[in-house]
Amino acid sequence: MDEQQLHQIGAVADRVGLSLRTIRHYEEVGLVIPSGRSAGGFRLYTDADVDRLAQVKAMKPLGFSLEETSTILALRRAVAEGTAASDQRARLESFASRAEEQCSRLSRQLDEVRRLTVQLREQVDRAERSVARSG
Amino acid sequence: MDEQQLHQIGAVADRVGLSLRTIRHYEEVGLVIPSGRSAGGFRLYTDADVDRLAQVKAMKPLGFSLEETSTILALRRAVAEGTAASDQRARLESFASRAEEQCSRLSRQLDEVRRLTVQLREQVDRAERSVARSG
DNA sequence: TTGCTCCTCACGTCACGTGAGGTGGC
DNA sequence: TTGCTCCTCACGTCACGTGAGGTGGC
């Protein structure tokens, strides 16, 4: 039962909801490296790799660069394992603060964008009704 | 009292919260053209221009390209003036649907990002307390 | 053998950022 | 005349998109 379930990039892309190119790009920049390759050179992802991709995808709205995202994941790992130095903990706490600020910003943006979208829908509906009357 | 209040790009950038480069870029692609120029070539924005910039900024989270944003603003204008043909109304309604879908997506993303941020904060706090105990 | 999936370049794109060198206007 | 603000190139950057030409494996 210690068989590693390995996944090809296409299956991973479908499951996580990222493009093949994006997944390959994440490897290019060292963000998510597949744990293995087939004899023919196909990328092979473990479930842990897939989880990491999903985490990266989920973090995207926070607006960190891919390099910062990579750093955050490394810092979290170090802190989780208890091997983080105090400056590493300080850096992670700084990222946490930035994440919180970004959440507030996103929340405000969502409010505004909802307002705009309702306005737009109302304008469209008014126009339709206006045409219906004069048609 | 029909004097137009005109604003230089720096004041506009401060008011709206966009960079000088972004505002100039919006002119390059024909999205927001300043109504005038000073004798020395300085861009001069009317209050209506500033409103348009603010609208463009507010729409950014909807994820439309700058070209699409330009199209939407033109369609809204045509519909508001009652000069829109039926295919133009149809196109605007399609944009409205896309905007609604994007709102849902943003809402789900915000939920997830908040979860992640809380998790991150908890991890940081646990690490601090752990250090405090052993220090 | 036929498809479908994958591979590696490598150039393109979108929305700007970032100087470089020069001028405008209170 | 001194600053501060603005100007126009024009190249750089980030996160990918998009073929082009070739191979892997059930």
XYZ file of all heavy atoms in Angstrom, chain C residues 3-4 6-13 15-22 24-25, chain D residues 3-4 6-13 15-22 24-25:
826
model
P -6.396 7.870 -37.253
O -7.672 7.614 -37.920
O -5.338 8.650 -37.942
O -6.675 8.552 -35.857
C -5.664 8.598 -34.879
C -6.267 8.576 -33.504
O -5.418 7.814 -32.646
C -6.380 9.958 -32.880
O -7.435 9.956 -31.937
C -5.024 10.127 -32.228
C -4.616 8.703 -31.865
N -3.215 8.419 -32.161
C -2.514 8.727 -33.307
N -1.267 8.338 -33.267
C -1.135 7.741 -32.014
C -0.018 7.135 -31.389
O 1.122 6.992 -31.831
N -0.334 6.659 -30.113
C -1.555 6.746 -29.520
N -1.672 6.223 -28.302
N -2.621 7.302 -30.082
C -2.337 7.783 -31.326
P -7.990 11.328 -31.452
O -9.448 11.149 -31.297
O -7.427 12.399 -32.311
O -7.349 11.495 -29.996
C -7.489 10.450 -29.038
C -6.423 10.609 -27.970
O -5.133 10.217 -28.505
C -6.255 12.045 -27.455
O -6.338 12.021 -26.033
C -4.878 12.469 -27.947
C -4.160 11.132 -28.044
N -3.016 11.129 -29.000
C -1.878 10.380 -28.686
O -1.850 9.748 -27.619
N -0.837 10.370 -29.555
C -0.906 11.066 -30.687
N 0.147 11.017 -31.513
C -2.056 11.829 -31.033
C -3.084 11.832 -30.170
P -1.400 14.847 -20.918
O -1.464 14.412 -19.523
O -2.199 15.993 -21.383
O 0.128 15.119 -21.291
C 1.093 14.188 -20.890
C 2.325 14.269 -21.758
O 1.945 14.214 -23.149
C 3.111 15.572 -21.694
O 4.020 15.562 -20.608
C 3.864 15.553 -23.014
C 3.066 14.625 -23.898
N 2.628 15.275 -25.159
C 3.508 15.310 -26.238
O 4.632 14.795 -26.116
N 3.126 15.910 -27.392
C 1.910 16.452 -27.481
N 1.577 17.032 -28.637
C 0.990 16.429 -26.387
C 1.383 15.842 -25.251
P 4.919 16.857 -20.336
O 5.648 16.622 -19.080
O 4.035 18.022 -20.474
O 5.964 16.893 -21.554
C 7.013 15.949 -21.599
C 7.949 16.273 -22.740
O 7.231 16.162 -23.993
C 8.480 17.693 -22.731
O 9.651 17.780 -21.949
C 8.787 17.932 -24.212
C 7.807 17.044 -24.934
N 6.691 17.763 -25.629
C 6.922 18.326 -26.883
O 8.047 18.231 -27.370
N 5.907 18.960 -27.520
C 4.710 19.033 -26.945
N 3.728 19.652 -27.608
C 4.450 18.473 -25.655
C 5.466 17.858 -25.030
P 10.103 19.183 -21.399
O 11.041 18.925 -20.286
O 8.894 19.991 -21.176
O 10.903 19.835 -22.619
C 11.913 19.109 -23.291
C 12.317 19.856 -24.550
O 11.170 19.969 -25.432
C 12.822 21.282 -24.307
O 13.972 21.506 -25.133
C 11.664 22.159 -24.736
C 11.010 21.320 -25.834
N 9.553 21.571 -25.997
C 9.080 21.983 -27.215
O 9.798 22.168 -28.176
N 7.716 22.172 -27.272
C 6.816 21.995 -26.251
O 5.621 22.195 -26.428
C 7.370 21.574 -24.993
C 6.483 21.366 -23.819
C 8.700 21.384 -24.914
P 14.921 22.779 -24.806
O 15.852 22.896 -25.957
O 15.455 22.653 -23.453
O 13.885 23.977 -24.821
C 14.233 25.182 -25.419
C 14.127 25.143 -26.933
O 12.858 24.575 -27.349
C 14.193 26.545 -27.507
O 14.909 26.557 -28.742
C 12.721 26.916 -27.690
C 12.052 25.568 -27.946
N 10.687 25.513 -27.331
C 9.562 25.761 -28.112
O 9.715 26.051 -29.319
N 8.333 25.691 -27.540
C 8.214 25.372 -26.246
N 6.983 25.316 -25.727
C 9.355 25.129 -25.429
C 10.561 25.206 -26.004
P 15.679 27.874 -29.132
O 16.432 27.609 -30.398
O 16.392 28.335 -27.928
O 14.517 28.909 -29.456
C 13.558 28.608 -30.464
C 12.434 29.605 -30.362
O 11.365 29.091 -29.547
C 12.850 30.950 -29.722
O 12.253 31.990 -30.446
C 12.255 30.842 -28.339
C 10.945 30.155 -28.720
N 10.131 29.663 -27.620
C 10.533 29.258 -26.381
N 9.545 28.902 -25.598
C 8.419 29.080 -26.367
C 7.054 28.876 -26.124
N 6.569 28.443 -24.966
N 6.184 29.163 -27.127
C 6.666 29.617 -28.294
N 7.934 29.834 -28.651
C 8.763 29.543 -27.631
P 13.012 33.409 -30.568
O 14.248 33.145 -31.340
O 13.066 34.005 -29.214
O 12.034 34.299 -31.471
C 11.106 33.675 -32.362
C 9.689 34.028 -31.957
O 9.282 33.269 -30.804
C 9.494 35.506 -31.573
O 8.477 36.062 -32.403
C 9.103 35.461 -30.106
C 8.449 34.085 -30.011
N 8.361 33.559 -28.626
C 7.109 33.175 -28.106
O 6.107 33.264 -28.821
N 7.037 32.699 -26.831
C 8.136 32.613 -26.088
N 8.005 32.152 -24.856
C 9.413 32.999 -26.592
C 9.484 33.465 -27.849
P 7.835 37.497 -32.051
O 7.408 38.110 -33.330
O 8.771 38.195 -31.147
O 6.522 37.132 -31.218
C 5.526 36.285 -31.795
C 4.213 36.496 -31.062
O 4.293 35.861 -29.750
C 3.878 37.958 -30.809
O 2.475 38.142 -30.969
C 4.337 38.183 -29.368
C 4.097 36.816 -28.726
N 5.038 36.484 -27.658
C 6.411 36.541 -27.716
N 6.985 36.163 -26.602
C 5.941 35.839 -25.763
C 5.939 35.363 -24.430
O 6.905 35.129 -23.693
N 4.652 35.164 -23.948
C 3.504 35.392 -24.657
N 2.343 35.143 -24.032
N 3.487 35.825 -25.910
C 4.734 36.028 -26.397
P 1.844 39.601 -30.750
O 0.695 39.701 -31.667
O 2.936 40.601 -30.770
O 1.283 39.525 -29.264
C 0.438 38.451 -28.884
C -0.088 38.718 -27.489
O 0.893 38.295 -26.510
C -0.372 40.194 -27.204
O -1.640 40.274 -26.587
C 0.753 40.609 -26.259
C 1.024 39.299 -25.530
N 2.379 39.133 -24.930
C 2.463 38.614 -23.660
O 1.488 38.316 -23.001
N 3.746 38.468 -23.177
C 4.911 38.783 -23.841
O 5.994 38.597 -23.298
C 4.751 39.317 -25.176
C 5.955 39.686 -25.967
C 3.504 39.469 -25.650
P -4.680 44.483 -21.381
O -6.035 44.206 -20.860
O -4.487 45.356 -22.542
O -3.794 45.036 -20.185
C -3.689 44.256 -19.004
C -2.618 44.843 -18.110
O -1.319 44.537 -18.651
C -2.662 46.376 -17.989
O -2.326 46.767 -16.670
C -1.584 46.809 -18.969
C -0.561 45.718 -18.697
N 0.498 45.590 -19.689
C 0.454 45.940 -21.013
N 1.587 45.718 -21.644
C 2.420 45.188 -20.676
C 3.756 44.742 -20.706
N 4.515 44.782 -21.795
N 4.283 44.262 -19.554
C 3.516 44.238 -18.453
N 2.244 44.628 -18.307
C 1.750 45.096 -19.471
P -2.803 48.154 -16.080
O -2.453 48.222 -14.654
O -4.184 48.322 -16.520
O -1.907 49.221 -16.873
C -0.831 49.874 -16.228
C 0.362 48.962 -16.037
O 0.785 48.454 -17.316
C 1.591 49.658 -15.456
O 1.749 49.329 -14.085
C 2.755 49.166 -16.292
C 2.143 48.129 -17.230
N 2.792 48.218 -18.572
C 4.072 47.687 -18.749
O 4.639 47.142 -17.795
N 4.668 47.787 -19.968
C 4.031 48.368 -20.976
N 4.653 48.433 -22.149
C 2.714 48.914 -20.827
C 2.133 48.821 -19.618
P 2.679 50.257 -13.174
O 2.324 49.926 -11.775
O 2.565 51.632 -13.667
O 4.156 49.737 -13.487
C 4.594 48.482 -12.985
C 6.118 48.410 -12.961
O 6.626 48.364 -14.322
C 6.820 49.590 -12.298
O 7.992 49.076 -11.643
C 7.183 50.497 -13.482
C 7.462 49.477 -14.589
N 7.148 49.903 -15.948
C 5.951 50.420 -16.386
N 5.944 50.658 -17.668
C 7.197 50.284 -18.108
C 7.755 50.319 -19.417
O 7.240 50.688 -20.464
N 9.080 49.851 -19.406
C 9.749 49.402 -18.304
N 11.012 48.997 -18.501
N 9.221 49.363 -17.082
C 7.953 49.818 -17.056
P 8.978 50.034 -10.828
O 9.673 49.186 -9.834
O 8.234 51.232 -10.406
O 10.044 50.470 -11.928
C 10.728 49.495 -12.681
C 11.794 50.173 -13.526
O 11.249 50.542 -14.811
C 12.364 51.459 -12.918
O 13.767 51.477 -13.100
C 11.717 52.569 -13.746
C 11.583 51.888 -15.096
N 10.526 52.427 -15.972
C 10.767 52.463 -17.331
O 11.799 52.092 -17.835
N 9.733 52.958 -18.078
C 8.516 53.419 -17.616
O 7.665 53.845 -18.382
C 8.329 53.362 -16.184
C 7.048 53.835 -15.559
C 9.343 52.874 -15.439
P 14.722 52.325 -12.063
O 16.140 51.965 -12.353
O 14.201 52.185 -10.699
O 14.418 53.804 -12.538
C 15.457 54.639 -12.942
C 16.028 54.263 -14.293
O 14.950 53.932 -15.212
C 16.796 55.419 -14.905
O 18.062 54.981 -15.400
C 15.894 55.924 -16.024
C 15.073 54.694 -16.394
N 13.744 55.131 -16.844
C 12.643 55.384 -16.045
N 11.593 55.751 -16.731
C 12.013 55.741 -18.051
C 11.310 56.063 -19.239
O 10.142 56.423 -19.377
N 12.118 55.933 -20.372
C 13.442 55.542 -20.346
N 14.076 55.479 -21.523
N 14.103 55.235 -19.249
C 13.334 55.362 -18.136
P 19.011 56.065 -16.131
O 20.351 55.447 -16.223
O 18.852 57.405 -15.546
O 18.300 56.101 -17.552
C 18.898 55.519 -18.707
C 18.759 56.502 -19.846
O 17.355 56.846 -20.007
C 19.498 57.826 -19.611
O 20.117 58.244 -20.816
C 18.399 58.777 -19.180
C 17.207 58.251 -19.977
N 15.900 58.549 -19.383
C 15.579 58.606 -18.050
N 14.309 58.886 -17.819
C 13.761 59.039 -19.080
C 12.462 59.348 -19.523
N 11.433 59.561 -18.706
N 12.255 59.414 -20.857
C 13.284 59.195 -21.691
N 14.556 58.893 -21.395
C 14.724 58.830 -20.059
P 21.257 59.361 -20.756
O 22.296 58.914 -21.698
O 21.588 59.687 -19.344
O 20.520 60.615 -21.400
C 19.902 60.500 -22.684
C 18.947 61.652 -22.871
O 17.753 61.415 -22.080
C 19.503 63.014 -22.413
O 19.469 63.938 -23.485
C 18.597 63.404 -21.261
C 17.306 62.659 -21.616
N 16.399 62.482 -20.489
C 16.719 62.180 -19.189
N 15.680 62.115 -18.402
C 14.602 62.389 -19.234
C 13.218 62.464 -18.960
O 12.636 62.301 -17.881
N 12.481 62.770 -20.103
C 13.009 62.978 -21.344
N 12.150 63.274 -22.319
N 14.299 62.913 -21.617
C 15.039 62.617 -20.519
P 19.812 65.510 -23.228
O 20.515 65.980 -24.430
O 20.396 65.713 -21.884
O 18.353 66.162 -23.239
C 17.466 65.885 -24.342
C 16.107 66.503 -24.054
O 15.506 65.834 -22.923
C 16.151 67.993 -23.693
O 15.254 68.733 -24.514
C 15.718 68.031 -22.255
C 14.805 66.807 -22.176
N 14.599 66.352 -20.805
C 15.545 65.905 -19.917
N 15.053 65.591 -18.737
C 13.695 65.863 -18.871
C 12.634 65.731 -17.938
O 12.700 65.345 -16.760
N 11.413 66.108 -18.476
C 11.227 66.559 -19.756
N 9.977 66.879 -20.097
N 12.199 66.679 -20.643
C 13.410 66.319 -20.136
P 9.259 73.957 -23.431
O 8.907 74.232 -24.839
O 10.227 74.831 -22.711
O 7.914 73.923 -22.581
C 7.442 72.715 -22.003
C 6.386 72.980 -20.939
O 6.894 72.513 -19.665
C 6.013 74.423 -20.692
O 4.741 74.446 -20.059
C 7.109 74.862 -19.734
C 7.217 73.620 -18.849
N 8.545 73.357 -18.299
C 9.732 73.318 -18.975
N 10.750 73.024 -18.207
C 10.177 72.862 -16.943
C 10.779 72.539 -15.704
O 11.954 72.320 -15.467
N 9.842 72.485 -14.685
C 8.505 72.713 -14.837
N 7.765 72.615 -13.751
N 7.920 73.007 -15.985
C 8.824 73.068 -16.992
P 3.843 75.760 -20.186
O 2.751 75.460 -21.117
O 4.727 76.938 -20.401
O 3.211 75.823 -18.725
C 3.764 75.036 -17.660
C 3.557 75.705 -16.322
O 4.806 75.633 -15.607
C 3.243 77.188 -16.332
O 2.811 77.544 -15.017
C 4.611 77.764 -16.598
C 5.413 76.937 -15.614
N 6.821 76.767 -15.921
C 7.485 77.035 -17.099
N 8.765 76.754 -17.036
C 8.942 76.273 -15.743
C 10.111 75.812 -15.091
O 11.244 75.721 -15.524
N 9.846 75.425 -13.784
C 8.609 75.472 -13.178
N 8.540 75.067 -11.922
N 7.506 75.895 -13.789
C 7.754 76.279 -15.058
P 17.891 74.081 -6.211
O 18.494 74.324 -4.894
O 18.665 73.430 -7.294
O 16.541 73.269 -6.020
C 15.627 73.237 -7.094
C 14.225 73.096 -6.561
O 13.355 73.861 -7.400
C 13.714 71.660 -6.604
O 12.718 71.493 -5.610
C 13.125 71.544 -7.999
C 12.675 72.970 -8.310
N 13.007 73.393 -9.676
C 14.192 73.243 -10.340
N 14.161 73.730 -11.556
C 12.881 74.242 -11.694
C 12.264 74.894 -12.783
O 12.739 75.171 -13.881
N 10.940 75.256 -12.484
C 10.307 75.012 -11.291
N 9.054 75.421 -11.186
N 10.873 74.396 -10.265
C 12.161 74.044 -10.534
P 12.344 70.028 -5.181
O 12.113 70.076 -3.721
O 13.321 69.089 -5.778
O 10.948 69.803 -5.907
C 9.890 70.756 -5.735
C 8.894 70.613 -6.871
O 9.468 71.149 -8.087
C 8.487 69.168 -7.182
O 7.063 69.077 -7.165
C 9.067 68.893 -8.571
C 9.118 70.300 -9.159
N 10.114 70.478 -10.235
C 9.781 71.286 -11.338
O 8.671 71.832 -11.363
N 10.692 71.455 -12.323
C 11.881 70.849 -12.252
N 12.748 71.054 -13.254
C 12.235 70.024 -11.149
C 11.328 69.867 -10.164
P 2.453 66.240 -12.542
O 1.021 66.553 -12.513
O 2.997 65.089 -11.810
O 2.906 66.120 -14.067
C 2.454 67.074 -15.002
C 3.395 67.178 -16.166
O 4.760 67.314 -15.698
C 3.485 65.951 -17.066
O 2.436 65.942 -18.022
C 4.825 66.173 -17.756
C 5.592 67.085 -16.816
N 6.876 66.502 -16.359
C 8.001 66.642 -17.166
O 7.884 67.249 -18.249
N 9.176 66.107 -16.776
C 9.253 65.463 -15.616
N 10.433 64.965 -15.255
C 8.117 65.308 -14.758
C 6.946 65.837 -15.167
P 2.344 64.720 -19.040
O 1.103 64.918 -19.825
O 2.543 63.495 -18.250
O 3.602 64.871 -20.008
C 3.614 65.907 -20.976
C 4.837 65.763 -21.865
O 6.023 65.910 -21.067
C 4.983 64.403 -22.511
O 4.262 64.360 -23.720
C 6.483 64.319 -22.762
C 7.077 65.175 -21.662
N 7.764 64.412 -20.577
C 9.075 63.983 -20.771
O 9.618 64.224 -21.859
N 9.716 63.316 -19.784
C 9.090 63.081 -18.629
N 9.748 62.436 -17.672
C 7.748 63.504 -18.402
C 7.115 64.156 -19.397
P 3.854 62.918 -24.311
O 2.771 63.161 -25.289
O 3.652 62.002 -23.185
O 5.162 62.447 -25.090
C 5.816 63.318 -26.001
C 7.153 62.708 -26.400
O 7.990 62.570 -25.225
C 7.051 61.320 -27.022
O 7.925 61.248 -28.140
C 7.479 60.386 -25.904
C 8.489 61.251 -25.142
N 8.603 60.899 -23.704
C 9.835 60.581 -23.190
O 10.848 60.555 -23.858
N 9.842 60.287 -21.849
C 8.760 60.287 -20.989
O 8.897 60.010 -19.810
C 7.486 60.624 -21.602
C 6.252 60.642 -20.760
C 7.466 60.914 -22.908
P 7.772 60.055 -29.210
O 8.978 60.081 -30.089
O 6.427 60.129 -29.811
O 7.823 58.775 -28.261
C 8.544 57.668 -28.681
C 10.037 57.814 -28.494
O 10.337 58.314 -27.175
C 10.739 56.481 -28.632
O 12.006 56.626 -29.258
C 10.878 56.001 -27.186
C 10.989 57.315 -26.405
N 10.307 57.205 -25.073
C 11.057 56.935 -23.928
O 12.278 56.772 -24.019
N 10.419 56.844 -22.726
C 9.093 57.035 -22.662
N 8.521 56.945 -21.464
C 8.317 57.312 -23.828
C 8.952 57.390 -24.997
P 12.541 55.378 -30.135
O 13.793 55.814 -30.811
O 11.422 54.860 -30.937
O 12.906 54.303 -29.027
C 13.815 54.623 -27.987
C 13.767 53.529 -26.949
O 12.850 53.882 -25.883
C 13.274 52.181 -27.496
O 14.062 51.165 -26.943
C 11.862 52.111 -26.958
C 12.119 52.716 -25.592
N 10.934 53.041 -24.808
C 9.679 53.357 -25.257
N 8.813 53.558 -24.294
C 9.543 53.370 -23.136
C 9.195 53.437 -21.778
N 7.985 53.737 -21.342
N 10.182 53.174 -20.871
C 11.407 52.873 -21.311
N 11.844 52.780 -22.570
C 10.856 53.048 -23.433
P 14.342 49.807 -27.799
O 15.159 50.234 -28.957
O 13.037 49.130 -27.998
O 15.244 48.915 -26.848
C 16.041 49.525 -25.825
C 15.608 49.031 -24.462
O 14.368 49.664 -24.056
C 15.341 47.515 -24.398
O 16.153 46.943 -23.382
C 13.850 47.409 -24.093
C 13.614 48.709 -23.336
N 12.177 49.109 -23.294
C 11.575 49.356 -22.049
O 12.248 49.256 -21.016
N 10.249 49.703 -22.008
C 9.560 49.806 -23.136
N 8.267 50.155 -23.047
C 10.150 49.562 -24.411
C 11.450 49.217 -24.446
P 15.908 45.450 -22.886
O 17.217 44.917 -22.440
O 15.122 44.770 -23.938
O 14.980 45.617 -21.597
C 15.424 46.423 -20.499
C 14.638 46.032 -19.253
O 13.287 46.563 -19.362
C 14.489 44.530 -19.062
O 14.608 44.218 -17.679
C 13.102 44.226 -19.629
C 12.340 45.514 -19.312
N 11.291 45.840 -20.273
C 11.411 45.895 -21.635
N 10.294 46.226 -22.239
C 9.391 46.399 -21.210
C 8.019 46.757 -21.244
O 7.312 47.012 -22.220
N 7.470 46.808 -19.958
C 8.152 46.554 -18.805
N 7.462 46.652 -17.670
N 9.434 46.219 -18.758
C 9.987 46.157 -20.001
P 14.480 42.719 -17.160
O 15.349 42.592 -15.966
O 14.635 41.813 -18.313
O 12.975 42.625 -16.670
C 12.452 43.607 -15.771
C 11.058 43.184 -15.347
O 10.101 43.602 -16.345
C 10.892 41.670 -15.196
O 10.197 41.430 -13.993
C 10.062 41.282 -16.420
C 9.228 42.530 -16.622
N 8.686 42.770 -17.975
C 7.368 43.185 -18.098
O 6.637 43.342 -17.136
N 6.947 43.410 -19.383
C 7.688 43.258 -20.541
O 7.199 43.492 -21.641
C 9.055 42.813 -20.347
C 9.946 42.626 -21.524
C 9.485 42.605 -19.093
P 5.263 36.564 -11.584
O 4.664 36.665 -10.242
O 6.506 35.804 -11.811
O 4.152 35.996 -12.578
C 2.916 36.684 -12.687
C 2.141 36.120 -13.842
O 2.710 36.583 -15.086
C 2.142 34.584 -13.938
O 0.862 34.127 -14.387
C 3.199 34.319 -14.995
C 2.883 35.472 -15.938
N 3.920 35.773 -16.916
C 5.257 35.521 -16.833
N 5.925 35.883 -17.898
C 4.966 36.423 -18.742
C 5.020 36.992 -20.021
N 6.154 37.107 -20.726
N 3.862 37.428 -20.570
C 2.724 37.304 -19.866
N 2.547 36.794 -18.648
C 3.720 36.364 -18.137
P 0.387 32.651 -14.045
O -0.999 32.539 -14.461
O 0.765 32.390 -12.668
O 1.292 31.715 -14.981
C 0.766 31.118 -16.143
C 0.549 32.123 -17.255
O 1.794 32.774 -17.571
C 0.092 31.486 -18.555
O -1.288 31.742 -18.767
C 0.953 32.115 -19.650
C 1.753 33.185 -18.922
N 3.131 33.255 -19.477
C 3.336 33.933 -20.691
O 2.363 34.453 -21.239
N 4.581 33.993 -21.220
C 5.598 33.422 -20.575
N 6.809 33.522 -21.135
C 5.412 32.723 -19.334
C 4.176 32.669 -18.822
P -2.073 30.799 -19.810
O -3.512 30.967 -19.508
O -1.471 29.456 -19.799
O -1.736 31.462 -21.222
C -2.310 32.708 -21.578
C -2.278 32.907 -23.094
O -0.908 33.110 -23.535
C -2.807 31.741 -23.923
O -3.456 32.304 -25.074
C -1.540 30.964 -24.295
C -0.519 32.086 -24.446
N 0.861 31.748 -24.088
C 1.282 31.170 -22.916
N 2.585 31.036 -22.850
C 3.049 31.565 -24.048
C 4.377 31.685 -24.533
O 5.435 31.370 -23.991
N 4.403 32.257 -25.803
C 3.302 32.665 -26.499
N 3.519 33.198 -27.715
N 2.050 32.563 -26.051
C 1.999 31.995 -24.823
P -4.134 31.363 -26.193
O -5.172 32.168 -26.877
O -4.468 30.063 -25.579
O -2.932 31.118 -27.224
C -2.241 32.212 -27.793
C -1.297 31.698 -28.864
O -0.004 31.383 -28.290
C -1.764 30.430 -29.580
O -1.511 30.564 -30.962
C -0.898 29.326 -28.970
C 0.396 30.093 -28.710
N 1.265 29.539 -27.642
C 2.635 29.644 -27.794
O 3.154 30.162 -28.756
N 3.363 29.128 -26.753
C 2.874 28.524 -25.619
O 3.636 28.106 -24.756
C 1.433 28.444 -25.523
C 0.796 27.817 -24.323
C 0.705 28.948 -26.531
P -2.427 29.734 -32.039
O -2.097 30.222 -33.390
O -3.830 29.723 -31.597
O -1.865 28.253 -31.845
C -1.351 27.577 -32.926
C -0.007 28.095 -33.376
O 0.831 28.384 -32.218
C 0.731 27.065 -34.200
O 1.257 27.647 -35.385
C 1.837 26.548 -33.287
C 2.074 27.723 -32.339
N 2.475 27.217 -31.027
C 1.647 26.809 -30.009
N 2.304 26.402 -28.938
C 3.635 26.548 -29.283
C 4.810 26.264 -28.525
O 4.904 25.822 -27.384
N 5.973 26.556 -29.256
C 5.985 27.051 -30.530
N 7.186 27.269 -31.083
N 4.906 27.332 -31.232
C 3.760 27.051 -30.554
P 2.165 26.681 -36.376
O 2.286 27.399 -37.668
O 1.720 25.280 -36.326
O 3.545 26.756 -35.553
C 4.676 27.437 -36.083
C 5.877 26.513 -35.952
O 5.980 26.070 -34.583
C 5.769 25.254 -36.821
O 7.032 24.973 -37.416
C 5.366 24.172 -35.822
C 6.053 24.654 -34.550
N 5.425 24.204 -33.316
C 4.090 24.003 -33.083
N 3.815 23.594 -31.862
C 5.054 23.508 -31.251
C 5.452 23.135 -29.949
N 4.600 22.758 -28.996
N 6.766 23.162 -29.669
C 7.625 23.538 -30.616
N 7.376 23.919 -31.883
C 6.057 23.881 -32.132
P 7.142 23.959 -38.639
O 8.093 24.560 -39.580
O 5.790 23.559 -39.060
O 7.846 22.703 -37.955
C 9.086 22.865 -37.257
C 9.308 21.648 -36.399
O 8.434 21.721 -35.236
C 8.983 20.313 -37.095
O 10.130 19.477 -37.090
C 7.828 19.748 -36.288
C 8.047 20.410 -34.925
N 6.875 20.432 -34.071
C 5.563 20.646 -34.443
N 4.724 20.569 -33.434
C 5.525 20.276 -32.342
C 5.179 20.062 -30.985
O 4.066 20.103 -30.457
N 6.306 19.789 -30.212
C 7.584 19.718 -30.681
N 8.526 19.434 -29.783
N 7.921 19.909 -31.948
C 6.847 20.180 -32.719
P 10.014 17.912 -37.577
O 11.303 17.602 -38.229
O 8.736 17.648 -38.254
O 10.003 17.170 -36.159
C 11.029 17.462 -35.201
C 10.746 16.694 -33.925
O 9.528 17.199 -33.310
C 10.512 15.181 -34.120
O 11.354 14.435 -33.254
C 9.065 14.987 -33.774
C 8.836 16.113 -32.759
N 7.432 16.442 -32.590
C 6.541 16.897 -33.545
N 5.333 17.069 -33.085
C 5.419 16.704 -31.759
C 4.422 16.679 -30.748
O 3.224 16.981 -30.847
N 4.935 16.241 -29.522
C 6.246 15.875 -29.310
N 6.553 15.484 -28.074
N 7.186 15.905 -30.235
C 6.703 16.321 -31.439
P 10.369 8.603 -27.795
O 11.771 8.408 -27.385
O 9.770 7.786 -28.864
O 9.451 8.443 -26.484
C 8.782 9.579 -25.927
C 7.686 9.129 -24.974
O 6.411 9.552 -25.507
C 7.548 7.641 -24.756
O 6.860 7.440 -23.524
C 6.660 7.241 -25.937
C 5.692 8.421 -25.972
N 5.179 8.752 -27.283
C 5.902 8.951 -28.443
N 5.151 9.284 -29.461
C 3.860 9.295 -28.937
C 2.626 9.577 -29.572
O 2.427 9.894 -30.745
N 1.565 9.475 -28.678
C 1.667 9.150 -27.351
N 0.547 9.091 -26.656
N 2.839 8.877 -26.757
C 3.873 8.972 -27.618
P 7.037 6.048 -22.740
O 7.877 6.292 -21.569
O 7.373 4.996 -23.725
O 5.554 5.804 -22.184
C 4.454 6.578 -22.715
C 3.158 5.802 -22.659
O 2.497 5.927 -23.943
C 3.294 4.319 -22.468
O 1.998 3.821 -22.142
C 3.672 3.867 -23.876
C 2.649 4.692 -24.657
N 3.025 5.007 -26.021
C 4.252 4.883 -26.632
N 4.238 5.255 -27.884
C 2.916 5.657 -28.106
C 2.284 6.159 -29.277
O 2.795 6.369 -30.368
N 0.942 6.432 -29.057
C 0.283 6.247 -27.860
N -1.003 6.554 -27.846
N 0.849 5.781 -26.771
C 2.178 5.514 -26.964
